[in-house]
Amino acid sequence: MYREDQFPQPLPPGESIVGTNVLRKEGQAKIMGQAQYVDDLTYPGMLYGKTIRSTIARGTITAIRFDPHFDWSAVVVADYRDIPGRNVVLLIEADQPLLVEREVQHHDEPILLLASRDRELLEEAARHIQISYQEKPAVLNMQQAIAAGESGDAGMIIRPPDNTIKKYCIERGDLAAGFRQAEVIVEGTYRTGLQEHVYIEPQGMIAIPGADGSLTLQGSLQCPYYVHKAIKTLFNLPDDKVIVIQTTTGGGFGGKEEYPNMIAGHAALLAWKSGKPVKLVYDRREDIAATTKRHAALVHHKTGVTRDGRLVAADIEVIMDGGAYATLSAVVLSRGAIHALGPYRCPNVRIRARVMATNTPPAGAFRGFGAPQTCFAYEMQMNRIAQTLGLSPLELRRKNLVRTGDLTATGQQLNLSVSAEQVLEAAVQRAQYETERAAAAKSSGSHQRLGIGLSLFYHGAGFTGSGEARLPTRAGVELLPEGKVRVLTSAIEMGQGTETVFCQLAAEALGIAYDDVVFAQPNTAQVPDSGPTVASRTCMIVGKALQDAARQMKSRLERFAADKWKAPQARIHNGELWIDHRSAISFAHLARQYFETEGELRVLHGYTLPPDIKWDDETYRGDAYPVFGWGAEVAKVEVDLDTFEIKVRKCVVAIDCGKALHPLLLEGQIEGGTLQAVGQATIEEVIMENGRVLNDRMTTCLIPTALDAPEMQVVLIENPYPFGPHGAKGIGELPMDGGAAAVAAAVWHATGVLPEEVPLTPEKLYAALAQAQSAAGEMRPGTAGG
Amino acid sequence: MEIHFEVNGKACQVETPPMKRLLDVLREDLRLTGTKEGCGEGECGSCSVILNGEVVNACLVPACQVEASTIITVEGLADGGRLSVVQQAFLEHGGAQCGICTPGMLLAATAFLEENAAPEREQIKAAIAGNLCRCTGYMKIIDAIAAAAGSRLERAD
């Protein structure tokens, strides 16, 4: 490596790329309407696919009847018997079939596939198929699942032995001793509902069969190599016979983490059987009814505190509803459980967590991945503790928040980039929390109540536990003859800015211009496996591997130049080659020279975890994450006591991201996550009836519009993480975690009633206020919240 | 039936069933795939186009209604390779993330700014309330539209 001081005269200042708001790499294509999403692609002879799904929650298929009077000649029909390999959608477990064989485990479970040139004919054909079932009693929610497991009701056991998909126990200190030490014990139970991703582009995939027996999948997805692995298993194909290409993806939020394996399998099976390209794109109803949701959760807290407000014991129980198959439930639960104490010090902790199987469409990954559920619970519990002790919510948090050197529930010592205090103080200051709270209390009318609430939260960046160590994450760069460099990674762009930030990182590491770095379309035949695009890991983990690869390429090119031009030193700087502190040639010229004499240059680099990270999967103790992102939010709401609607007026969010690589994109991502959390807190409800999603339309499955969006202010704090690129930490999910809690805390301030459940739809808020009023009538007049 | 209309300044003639959705006519018959489908029932606004100066959801308009109409889609916003003021503002202010709502959002904003040269933030919010975005939280979109209004006023001066 060359050092600056080896040059007798300093080089001119380097052009900063990282930390600036360069134009989004793929922005122009999106703004011109030229970006190609899966539904924009078409192939000669292409068929359209359709999925025939179960209309019951649980039972056995007794007969499938194809109307003999219907002309089936123009329709391709596939069922499980057509699958050449294993009938399984491979993820953590191999329990979910691609197509039902006999036993239906949830409503809208796929049974048959149809394909045709003519989409109207497909709809007509579907009406000529009759599936008969022998229905069984279904387990419709987690309470039923637990009850059946406890009573041993064999007819209601859908996952032996007791309907549990996975459970964990995290323990630290001496819980009994902690409770003996406690002067006050506070208990509370908190619930969060199912949440739908509502990415605006529905799920879609195109499968193209190759003459050589290969299968190419193109579609909207977050994890190209997940789909690759799933298709290999379904079709018994070797690595090189399956090619997965990501098309421009219209939002994911976790919803396109695992489900694309399923839809890819379906499209591929129809293509395999018909020998033609098949496009399978869901309409909104099918997408809402059949694809994954955020796990509904129920969390119970029992906390022992001293009178002056120190936490001394926390006994936490987390239960989640996983739906009919395992999908990612075990890891969602794990993340939820690890975060369940909150960013607070407590020496004696027990966290018991379990996720239950039910006869409902499987829950899965959704931004936050279990943490938003447990965050809502721990923040409401902190508010309840404050209420009980007569302390302000802010004061209670200041007393208990973790600082450098403190331990988490898993015994992880927080040594790097710990910013709970900084984010809390920054949010409070920017929002003028105390002043606004006093003003809100005064300006509340009899029918419109204003309230200000806060939340403090954290999110472990990267995979949980040993995940990053087990995964061979690789990313790289490739020199192009025209003098550009191409980024090679399977980390995908879905709006969050991967293309832009990765090109910034590579350009800065190489010493070339941002415009001279391009991003390769993620294609498993051309890019290395960088792991999935999930877990707030793209920037911090994959970005680090990419940065290292780009640095290696720079050194290689500089060594080549020094040899070629017999110079003691050569350095690439600001897009030029500098030899002996003089600008010699352009980077493009250097690239051409390299190609002429050496040929291609492609550098891949693997990610290695920082040293000293230790995690024990058996005991669930150790360093659960390499580092945490930290967040605090202050929300201002207006509650209408006639309609019980909540209008969120303003959110101030302080986030410690380590380093803002692209402040504009970062703010946009934080604002987007904050609004999803506002939706989760107020209007986003998925209503289940007999195991089926009732509100399976955008008209009824609401998300916030521009008129529902509060004004948002983002405060960025940069407390660098030494092992991230330029100090950056992953924060993609973080703003989702604490938003609902801040809104609910503001509702508490406005109404005096501490919410125990989200979404706080008008019906639920009315019920909570009515219940509080009747309780107060029996006891004593209610007092406004902390 | 045969329908005649103008799209992005070009005369078009399409043979189509009368009730085929304008969205499908644009995407399939004319291969103008910049107009997106998000819900198919007029809720999300991804398929917004400007029809005779008004923003409509192309998924709710049957082909037979557009005879002799003038339509602008996202493909018609830029002048050759030169982005419109609104497009440029979206690019610079972070108005597009995943991009799927962007075409509809751009058209809603463009039609709105034609009628409202110097809008307040609340007016902008109301103007795009029929266009759902799941990525941005809308702030950067509103910023972009406000900035575009500013640029247009500067140009007019």
Side-chain angles (χ1 to χ4, degrees):
Chain A
M1 295 291 286
Y2 292 99
R3 287 174 29 219
E4 199 77 45
D5 59 10
Q6 289 176 298
F7 286 79
Q9 288 172 5
L11 291 170
E15 286 160 15
S16 300
I17 301 166
V18 161
T20 66
N21 293 329
V22 292
L23 291 185
R24 177 180 273 278
K25 206 71 186 178
E26 81 296 359
Q28 178 120 352
K30 285 176 172 172
I31 271 155
M32 303 274 286
Q34 291 166 343
Q36 299 274 290
Y37 298 79
V38 62
D39 202 19
D40 302 337
L41 302 172
T42 184
Y43 291 91
M46 187 178 81
L47 310 182
Y48 295 94
K50 182 175 174 68
T51 314
I52 305 294
R53 299 176 178 279
S54 61
T55 52
I56 61 165
R58 188 181 175 211
T60 307
I61 296 173
T62 53
I64 300 179
R65 185 173 171 274
F66 294 87
D67 183 351
H69 303 296
F70 183 78
D71 177 10
W72 292 96
S73 62
V75 181
V76 180
V77 182
D79 67 19
Y80 73 91
R81 292 166 300 183
D82 295 303
I83 300 167
R86 291 169 68 196
N87 180 17
V88 62
V89 184
L90 203 60
L91 208 59
I92 294 174
E93 292 186 30
D95 62 336
Q96 185 174 20
L98 184 73
L99 292 169
V100 173
E101 298 188 4
R102 262 174 70 79
E103 297 299 321
V104 170
Q105 298 292 354
H106 66 84
H107 209 286
D108 287 292
E109 188 165 13
I111 298 171
L112 297 172
L113 301 167
L114 310 180
S116 169
R117 291 292 294 275
D118 181 344
R119 273 174 296 183
E120 280 177 27
L121 183 69
L122 272 183
E123 298 305 318
E124 185 62 24
R127 286 191 282 272
H128 291 270
I129 298 172
Q130 201 178 23
I131 303 178
S132 312
Y133 308 92
Q134 183 175 9
E135 279 197 64
K136 291 180 182 171
V139 179
L140 295 175
N141 55 52
M142 49 192 165
Q143 288 84 355
Q144 285 182 7
I146 291 171
E150 284 171 357
S151 69
D153 177 355
M156 294 285 275
I157 298 293
I158 58 172
R159 193 179 176 96
D162 63 354
N163 289 334
T164 303
I165 294 175
K166 183 78 181 177
K167 58 181 163 189
Y168 301 99
C169 184
I170 298 168
E171 285 183 292
R172 190 164 76 78
D174 182 337
L175 194 67
F179 277 114
R180 280 196 300 275
Q181 203 187 326
E183 292 166 322
V184 180
I185 291 173
V186 180
E187 290 199 60
T189 303
Y190 310 97
R191 290 178 176 80
T192 56
L194 291 167
Q195 190 184 14
E196 163 58 30
H197 307 85
V198 199
Y199 28 68
I200 305 296
E201 179 208 28
Q203 304 261 359
M205 197 72 63
I206 295 175
I208 304 160
D212 57 351
S214 67
L215 279 168
T216 299
L217 280 304
Q218 277 186 297
S220 184
L221 52 91
Q222 291 178 225
C223 314
Y225 278 92
Y226 277 8
V227 175
H228 190 254
K229 184 176 166 191
I231 297 295
K232 283 194 305 174
T233 307
L234 285 162
F235 292 86
N236 260 336
L237 288 171
D239 277 354
D240 62 335
K241 286 285 194 282
V242 178
I243 297 168
V244 180
I245 302 168
Q246 184 239 1
T247 53
T248 307
T249 295
F253 317 112
K256 292 170 184 171
E257 175 171 353
E258 71 272 43
Y259 198 86
N261 292 6
M262 175 73 81
I263 187 168
H266 290 161
L269 189 60
L270 286 167
W272 188 262
K273 188 157 184 186
S274 66
K276 298 200 168 78
V278 174
K279 180 192 275 189
L280 190 51
V281 175
Y282 290 170
D283 66 15
R284 184 58 62 180
R285 296 184 82 151
E286 183 171 19
D287 197 297
I288 295 177
T291 71
T292 55
K293 306 277 170 283
R294 183 187 300 288
H295 290 70
L298 191 152
V299 183
H300 183 79
H301 277 259
K302 179 181 171 189
T303 316
V305 288
T306 59
R307 282 203 197 286
D308 64 352
R310 273 184 310 111
L311 310 187
V312 291
D315 193 8
I316 305 166
E317 192 180 6
V318 180
I319 305 169
M320 291 189 186
D321 184 342
Y325 296 105
T327 66
L328 295 164
S329 284
V331 273
V332 170
L333 181 72
S334 152
R335 185 175 281 270
I338 289 169
H339 287 74
L341 177 63
Y344 303 111
R345 277 176 294 167
C346 183
N348 307 296
V349 187
R350 179 173 70 172
I351 300 164
R352 287 173 298 170
R354 63 201 285 208
V355 56
M356 307 307 298
T358 60
N359 294 114
T360 59
F366 191 155
R367 192 180 203 170
F369 211 70
Q373 292 94 315
T374 55
C375 177
F376 173 73
Y378 67 67
E379 282 300 85
M380 288 305 108
Q381 176 72 0
M382 287 300 278
N383 293 335
R384 177 159 283 160
I385 294 167
Q387 188 180 42
T388 307
L389 298 178
L391 290 173
S392 89
L394 175 58
E395 204 47 47
L396 184 72
R397 283 166 176 82
R398 280 176 173 156
K399 262 186 191 164
N400 289 285
L401 56 78
V402 286
R403 295 177 166 84
T404 303
D406 285 338
L407 298 178
T408 68
T410 64
Q412 172 169 5
Q413 189 168 39
L414 298 168
N415 292 323
L416 296 173
S417 190
V418 183
S419 310
E421 187 172 18
Q422 288 94 318
V423 294
L424 181 66
E425 298 305 333
V428 161
Q429 194 185 1
R430 176 66 69 89
Q432 298 183 291
Y433 174 78
E434 302 279 17
T435 323
E436 284 280 312
R437 257 171 94 85
K442 277 196 203 126
S443 61
S444 285
S446 54
H447 296 274
Q448 306 285 331
R449 296 273 181 87
L450 293 174
I452 310 285
L454 66 79
S455 64
L456 177 65
F457 45 100
Y458 62 158
H459 196 93
F463 276 142
T464 302
S466 52
E468 293 298 348
R470 278 202 298 255
L471 196 81
T473 291
R474 288 190 310 152
V477 279
E478 169 178 45
L479 188 65
L480 302 177
E482 69 268 29
K484 296 200 175 196
V485 169
R486 182 151 59 197
V487 171
L488 304 173
T489 173
S490 68
I492 61 96
E493 169 70 50
M494 54 180 155
Q496 84 285 42
T498 304
E499 291 196 20
T500 306
V501 169
F502 275 20
C503 291
Q504 283 179 289
L505 288 174
E508 180 104 15
L510 277 155
I512 63 175
Y514 170 71
D515 287 344
D516 287 334
V517 182
V518 296
F519 189 87
Q521 183 176 29
N523 173 334
T524 56
Q526 288 162 14
V527 300
D529 187 353
S530 315
T533 315
V534 304
S536 307
R537 66 186 293 281
T538 299
C539 199
M540 183 176 107
I541 305 284
V542 187
K544 178 68 182 161
L546 170 69
Q547 187 188 35
D548 289 344
R551 283 176 174 160
Q552 282 176 20
M553 175 179 272
K554 181 172 193 268
S555 305
R556 297 252 294 260
L557 288 170
E558 286 170 344
R559 274 202 306 275
F560 162 78
D563 287 351
K564 184 172 174 68
W565 285 289
K566 311 269 184 299
Q569 294 154 351
R571 185 154 168 193
I572 300 164
H573 185 71
N574 289 350
E576 292 172 322
L577 179 71
W578 290 70
I579 291 176
D580 297 341
H581 64 85
R582 281 191 304 276
S583 167
I585 54 170
S586 69
F587 182 78
H589 190 128
L590 171 64
R592 277 195 298 277
Q593 293 286 328
Y594 189 94
F595 264 86
E596 276 172 24
T597 46
E598 307 287 316
E600 292 181 356
L601 179 57
R602 191 178 148 104
V603 181
L604 299 183
H605 191 81
Y607 176 78
T608 41
L609 266 179
D612 302 329
I613 290 195
K614 290 189 177 58
W615 174 255
D616 186 334
D617 271 322
E618 294 301 312
T619 59
Y620 248 62
R621 294 193 57 75
D623 301 314
Y625 301 98
V627 72
F628 289 86
W630 306 89
E633 179 170 337
V634 174
K636 178 179 186 177
V637 303
E638 187 180 310
V639 179
D640 186 317
L641 291 183
D642 293 325
T643 64
F644 298 94
E645 281 174 301
I646 298 164
K647 175 85 191 156
V648 183
R649 291 282 175 209
K650 188 173 169 188
C651 294
V652 176
V653 192
I655 295 286
D656 168 28
C657 58
K659 165 76 183 173
L661 300 175
H662 190 301
L664 183 73
L665 291 191
L666 178 61
E667 279 176 20
Q669 204 183 14
I670 292 167
E671 289 163 359
T674 301
L675 188 62
Q676 286 181 351
V678 165
Q680 182 198 21
T682 54
I683 58 171
E684 292 186 30
E685 187 176 32
V686 177
I687 306 165
M688 301 297 292
E689 188 181 82
N690 295 326
R692 150 176 186 242
V693 180
L694 264 193
N695 53 334
D696 59 355
R697 304 168 63 171
M698 270 197 177
T699 320
T700 48
C701 187
L702 305 178
I703 59 168
T705 70
L707 284 172
D708 303 314
E711 283 301 318
M712 292 185 246
Q713 287 178 10
V714 174
V715 187
L716 295 178
I717 289 164
E718 297 179 314
N719 185 356
Y721 166 56
F723 301 101
H726 301 273
K729 303 190 282 191
I731 59 93
E733 296 166 281
L734 180 62
M736 182 80 230
D737 288 3
V743 171
V747 171
W748 171 42
H749 184 230
T751 64
V753 175
L754 185 68
E756 294 175 335
E757 185 176 1
V758 284
L760 283 164
T761 58
E763 294 84 351
K764 284 182 185 155
L765 182 60
Y766 170 77
L769 296 184
Q771 194 192 347
Q773 206 166 35
S774 78
E778 286 160 22
M779 295 160 65
R780 60 188 173 78
T783 51
Chain B
M1 66 184 282
E2 194 178 276
I3 54 165
H4 308 80
F5 53 104
E6 190 189 292
V7 179
N8 302 330
K10 273 188 241 159
C12 296
Q13 179 183 324
V14 171
E15 179 64 39
T16 174
M19 292 309 285
K20 185 166 180 174
R21 306 181 302 175
L22 172 60
L23 174 61
D24 299 325
V25 172
L26 292 170
R27 289 180 53 85
E28 294 168 6
D29 299 72
L30 302 175
R31 295 298 302 152
L32 293 171
T33 56
T35 306
K36 307 299 181 191
E37 176 165 3
C39 70
E41 56 180 19
E43 278 293 323
C44 76
S46 304
C47 64
S48 299
V49 297
I50 300 176
L51 175 68
N52 299 330
E54 301 268 332
V55 180
V56 298
N57 290 315
C59 71
L60 297 183
V61 177
C64 59
Q65 270 186 12
V66 302
E67 174 68 27
S69 298
T70 305
I71 295 167
I72 300 170
T73 71
V74 68
E75 290 90 347
L77 288 179
D79 181 7
R82 207 186 127 97
L83 297 181
S84 75
V85 171
V86 180
Q87 284 175 311
Q88 188 64 33
F90 267 62
L91 195 56
E92 288 171 8
H93 293 268
Q97 288 191 21
C98 85
I100 196 83
C101 76
T102 306
M105 209 56 98
L106 287 167
L107 290 160
T110 301
F112 169 69
L113 291 178
E114 287 296 323
E115 304 291 321
N116 300 271
E120 300 288 327
R121 244 177 127 76
E122 283 305 310
Q123 289 176 295
I124 298 175
K125 286 186 178 184
I128 56 165
N131 294 76
L132 296 178
C133 169
R134 193 58 159 163
C135 293
T136 61
Y138 301 105
M139 293 299 107
K140 302 279 180 256
I141 294 175
I142 299 164
D143 292 348
I145 297 171
S151 303
R152 285 164 58 107
L153 284 178
E154 266 174 40
R155 281 192 189 181
D157 284 347

